[in-house]
Amino acid sequence: MGLQELCRLMSRFNSYKRTHIILQHLKMSNHTDAAAEVLLERKGCAGVITLNRPRFLNTLTLGMIRQIYPQLKKWEQDPETFLIIIKGAGEKAFCAGGDIRAISEARSTNQKVLQDFFREEYILNNAIDSCQKPYIALIHGITMGGGVGVSVHGQFRVATEKSVFAMPETAIGLFPDVGGGYFLPRLQGKLGYFLALTGFRLKGRDVYTAGIATHFVDFEKLGMLEEDLLALKSPSKENIADVLETYHAKSKIDQDKPFILEEHMDKINSWFSANTVEQIVDNLQQDGSSFALEQLKVINKVSPTSLKITLRQLMEGSSKTLPEVLTMEYRLSQTCVNGHDFHEGVRAVLIDKDQSPKWKPADLKEVTDEDLNDYFKSLGSNDLKF
């Protein structure tokens, strides 16, 4: 073999080697991207946040929150970013809440996570509320707890026929946080109090009718809606609203279907106007209808402490600003995660899945006003600050 031919072969080998290394790197990059818990991308005129844990229903982790917040702030200041879209990967869920199991497990491994998760989550919720750019949440699929926190405070929320909304925290010894004390008492009548205390699920167009979503779009059109939003050229808020309204107006799914709670709203407004959980329970018992007894059955299963915290949270939150509510909720979160019921609720619902939590106290009468006051006390220098 001549020297020239040898050099040519070596050159081809080195070229192949370089190509192989590049391909390997690309594979690793793709793997990293695929494995990322949250994707943050600039597309067209928008910043796009994709919650990327479909196997876990896109539940929020502290790591995800720590990526979303600074990027949200950057996009808010970027003159080339005109709107922000948040969505969930897969078709099952937008976001089923915070990664509560991981938070509960942190009690024995990393106590600081119990502070950091709630503090940083609530700071993100407030940043979404105060965001100067139009913020559009595509709340297709399961949208609960922490998922509500990263959507409901935005300017636009788009539901589909597959949307499922709930704030089920009383069932795990917690309370409807992420600003629940702000937005729930501001829903029609006493609907928010009912949703907070029972964890009742709203589905499809009902999520829009209740006021959780601002628009309703058929799921099969959601991709086209996103494309049309991304294609806008230097859009104003009005331009964005026009696109959303156009899609909303074209949606006919369940258009004439009455709100699932419509026939019960007068009674809900009456039952849940009471100032104590005990009185609400009495109202349901005295009514005796099948719907009232269904709600009573749910209330009797959840944490008595959570019920009393939640009612007071909403009553106080009805006249507070969102930052004031989130400060109150941070205080509540820290007392809850260091108490018994939260960890017992997580055990019963998410770990052992026996659905038989042993609450302490187990009876509403045993939860005193003095006990409640401890949950609402200032944390002094550890209070949440914006």
Side-chain angles (χ1 to χ4, degrees), residues 277-278 303-309 341 359-373 375:
V277 179
E278 287 90 342
S303 161
T305 302
S306 289
L307 287 169
K308 288 203 169 183
I309 288 171
D341 278 9
W359 306 121
K360 291 182 184 177
D363 194 290
L364 280 170
K365 294 183 181 66
E366 295 173 44
V367 185
T368 66
D369 288 343
E370 196 175 322
D371 294 332
L372 274 189
N373 290 339
Y375 283 86

Side-chain angles (χ1 to χ4, degrees), residues 256-268:
D256 301 319
K257 191 177 175 183
F259 181 46
I260 191 169
L261 295 170
E262 190 174 298
E263 63 179 302
H264 305 296
M265 276 311 300
D266 286 345
K267 285 190 171 184
I268 286 172

Side-chain angles (χ1 to χ4, degrees), residues 21-39:
I21 290 167
I22 290 165
L23 285 170
Q24 283 295 103
H25 177 69
L26 286 172
K27 277 184 187 172
M28 287 171 67
S29 297
N30 287 339
H31 174 72
T32 304
D33 285 345
E37 293 185 322
V38 60
L39 307 178

Side-chain angles (χ1 to χ4, degrees), residues 113-125:
V113 169
L114 300 178
Q115 298 167 15
D116 292 347
F117 180 87
F118 290 99
R119 173 180 275 118
E120 294 180 41
E121 182 182 29
Y122 296 173
I123 287 170
L124 174 60
N125 298 153

Side-chain angles (χ1 to χ4, degrees), residues 181-218:
Y182 180 81
F183 76 86
L184 287 166
R186 287 166 173 79
L187 297 179
Q188 56 180 292
K190 293 293 176 179
L191 176 61
Y193 290 78
F194 168 74
L195 296 172
L197 293 167
T198 65
F200 188 89
R201 294 184 176 197
L202 295 173
K203 299 177 182 179
R205 195 175 279 270
D206 288 337
V207 178
Y208 164 73
T209 309
I212 302 299
T214 57
H215 297 81
F216 181 87
V217 172
D218 301 352

